[in-house]
Amino acid sequence: MKAYLDNSSTTREFDEVRELIYELSGSAYGNPSSLHSLGVEAEKHLKTGRKKIALGFNAEAEEIILTSCGTEADNMAIFGIAESKRRRGKRIISTAIEHPAVLEPLRKLEQQGFEVIKIGVDAECRLDVGALRSAINEDTILISVMAVNNEVGAIMPIKEIGEIKSAYNASNGTEIIFHTDAVQGFGKLRLDTKKECRNTDLISCSAHKIHGPKGVGALYVRKGIKLPSFLAGGGQERGLRSGTENVTGIAGFGLASELCMMNIDGRIERMTVLRNRLREGISSEIGDIRINSPKDGICSVLNISFLGTRGEVILHDLETSGIFVSTGSACSSNSSLKSGSHVLNAMKLSKKEIEGAIRFSLSEFTTEEEIDYTVSKVKEAVGRFRKLGSFR
Ligand code: PLP
């Protein structure tokens, strides 16, 4: 049996997406900027893909800037606002638990003289919203808070932060921009730019986290927000990001987004049931654990520390049984080798808890049988490791 439980790292494409990409690679290979019929055909698929991605945010197609990945969308938002507003102020407010795609641009901006304030979280990964509110001042140009944490699945209070930002702007005449990295939230959480994200100005997302292809992302840019050009050239993407568009990838992203949105409530419910089954199964079968994911976290993520073990060793043991998990974020696994996960550190977990952490991440395709199989194999692996450890 095989159980792929590393869906926060990346997902398997929907069959429909794979088929569409394959078909368009053979038929819609024209350059969407070309004037002839093959170009027009490619442009048609580009437009449809963009429209479908926009629908996922209940936004207009013109508000979607297509990028090569979520990282690029985050970079475009953060460097773009820093560049366009550097004369207005130097303060950027973010959190200690962001993905490196946000933390690294912030580190670079700090080196250029920007003041970066990182708001902390508690042991349940709840953001200190009071501290965020107090950090806002007239020098603030940007607030960047992720929608869902990729390591533990905690959902951040995006609606509330947006309201705080807008209220501050209204009473102080400032133009603070609110960006959210929704790479782990898009497709699994409602991110309606007319409802819960009404006060969010920029939103990043990525196709490969929602059963779309790798190499495509998008940045939602609310009408009226100005960003400098990120890549200069032929002027594609409203001049923000020149370069011939990834037509097949964008069409695949659009279809994946449409399929995810089609029955979002049913999908969330089904994944929640499976995630709870995994949590309850592990809790009742294995002692000495710490559940690091909040109960009200995203439906797809369960992070657990198995005390007295090393997550990495358990990961490789599970792999021999066909189970694929992660010790944290695949994208940050290199930098986190030294001190352990920055997210679990921010939650003030002990060294032992950090060492023994495993992230299980579910998807659309996860089944009850896979969950039960995983519980039994994790029990065996942890038991084996603890037995060996006690002989040392
Ligand atoms: N932001 C978050 C929260 C993520 O989890 C990831 C990827 O894991 C990214 C950004 C980067 O997305 P991409 O892999 O598309 O560059």
Side-chain angles (χ1 to χ4, degrees):
M1 187 160 189
K2 189 170 149 186
Y4 181 72
L5 294 175
D6 195 17
N7 289 282
S8 292
S9 296
T10 198
T11 56
R12 171 156 69 86
E13 287 174 8
F14 284 124
D15 290 346
E16 296 91 324
V17 167
R18 211 171 42 241
E19 280 157 22
L20 177 71
I21 290 175
Y22 182 74
E23 186 198 317
L24 295 186
S25 302
S27 63
Y29 54 85
N31 187 321
S33 298
S34 292
L35 297 178
H36 51 69
S37 57
L38 271 178
V40 172
E41 172 73 6
E43 195 194 9
K44 188 182 86 187
H45 293 291
L46 180 63
K47 267 191 174 161
T48 307
R50 189 191 305 278
K51 197 168 172 195
K52 287 181 178 177
I53 298 163
L55 281 177
F57 293 112
N58 191 17
E60 306 300 318
E62 303 75 60
E63 293 175 302
I64 300 298
I65 301 299
L66 295 154
T67 65
S68 66
C69 55
T71 301
E72 189 189 321
D74 283 339
N75 274 250
M76 184 185 273
I78 292 165
F79 285 127
I81 294 300
E83 168 74 24
S84 66
K85 297 212 180 272
R86 64 189 326 143
R87 278 198 207 90
R88 280 187 171 258
K90 287 279 191 298
R91 179 172 284 200
I92 300 175
I93 302 169
S94 187
T95 79
I97 57 159
E98 298 297 311
H99 187 274
V102 166
L103 291 177
E104 283 302 302
L106 292 181
R107 193 178 60 79
K108 292 204 164 151
L109 289 175
E110 233 170 351
Q111 288 167 351
Q112 292 173 24
F114 285 87
E115 180 197 15
V116 176
I117 311 249
K118 289 186 199 150
I119 307 297
V121 292
D122 66 12
E124 310 306 319
C125 206
R126 269 186 302 254
L127 190 72
D128 187 346
V129 179
L132 183 140
R133 191 194 297 271
S134 311
I136 303 176
N137 65 7
E138 293 200 348
D139 202 38
T140 307
I141 52 169
L142 172 67
I143 300 172
S144 180
V145 177
M146 67 199 329
V148 175
N149 178 263
N150 48 302
E151 292 195 33
V152 299
I155 300 174
M156 296 294 118
I158 294 310
K159 182 168 181 275
E160 192 183 351
I161 297 168
E163 284 163 0
I164 292 171
K165 176 252 352 182
S166 290
Y168 188 92
N169 279 346
S171 44
N172 295 278
T174 46
E175 288 176 12
I176 302 166
I177 299 294
F178 177 33
H179 163 248
T180 188
D181 170 347
V183 167
Q184 295 290 345
F186 188 57
K188 285 171 246 157
L189 195 68
R190 289 203 176 272
L191 296 164
D192 188 319
T193 53
K194 310 221 166 38
K195 290 184 183 155
E196 48 282 291
C197 289
R198 198 173 57 238
N199 296 295
T200 314
D201 304 301
L202 304 166
I203 311 178
S204 312
C205 63
S206 180
H208 74 101
K209 309 286 187 184
I210 61 159
H211 307 287
K214 291 169 185 61
V216 204
L219 182 67
Y220 158 81
V221 182
R222 188 174 288 281
K223 242 179 231 156
I225 306 280
K226 294 215 165 22
L227 287 176
S229 90
F230 196 64
L231 282 179
Q236 290 92 339
E237 297 303 304
R238 290 184 10 229
L240 281 181
R241 185 189 188 271
S242 292
T244 302
E245 300 87 344
N246 174 1
V247 176
T248 53
I250 293 163
F253 188 5
L255 179 57
S257 173
E258 181 179 49
L259 292 171
C260 283
M261 293 302 162
M262 222 174 243
N263 177 23
I264 185 165
D265 293 330
R267 292 175 52 253
I268 292 173
E269 204 180 309
R270 190 177 162 274
M271 275 192 262
T272 305
V273 169
L274 291 178
R275 192 263 327 258
N276 293 349
R277 187 180 181 94
L278 182 60
R279 187 178 52 219
E280 280 144 29
I282 289 178
S283 304
S284 64
E285 292 291 330
I286 308 169
D288 276 340
I289 60 167
R290 183 191 194 276
I291 299 188
N292 304 319
S293 297
K295 270 208 163 141
D296 59 357
I298 198 82
C299 55
S300 50
V301 178
L302 184 65
N303 187 311
I304 301 186
S305 296
F306 299 93
L307 304 182
T309 74
R310 295 241 328 272
E312 204 183 317
V313 178
I314 302 293
L315 177 152
H316 289 302
D317 189 308
L318 291 176
E319 193 180 354
T320 62
S321 302
I323 299 169
F324 300 91
V325 296
S326 163
T327 52
S329 156
C331 317
S332 64
S333 51
N334 289 338
S335 58
S336 59
L337 277 181
K338 281 171 248 133
S339 54
S341 146
H342 69 285
V343 176
L344 300 183
N345 269 300
M347 290 165 66
K348 303 210 170 44
L349 263 59
S350 66
K351 192 164 174 278
K352 278 198 165 150
E353 288 167 334
I354 295 174
E355 256 176 21
I358 290 277
R359 177 186 70 183
F360 303 89
S361 48
L362 289 63
S363 87
E364 201 64 38
F365 300 131
T366 308
T367 64
E368 221 172 69
E369 292 70 35
E370 286 172 356
I371 294 293
D372 295 347
Y373 176 68
T374 301
V375 172
S376 74
K377 291 294 170 189
V378 172
K379 186 180 176 186
E380 282 174 27
V382 170
R384 222 171 4 248
F385 188 92
R386 284 179 176 162
K387 211 173 200 176
L388 277 176
S390 64
F391 285 122
R392 277 197 202 128

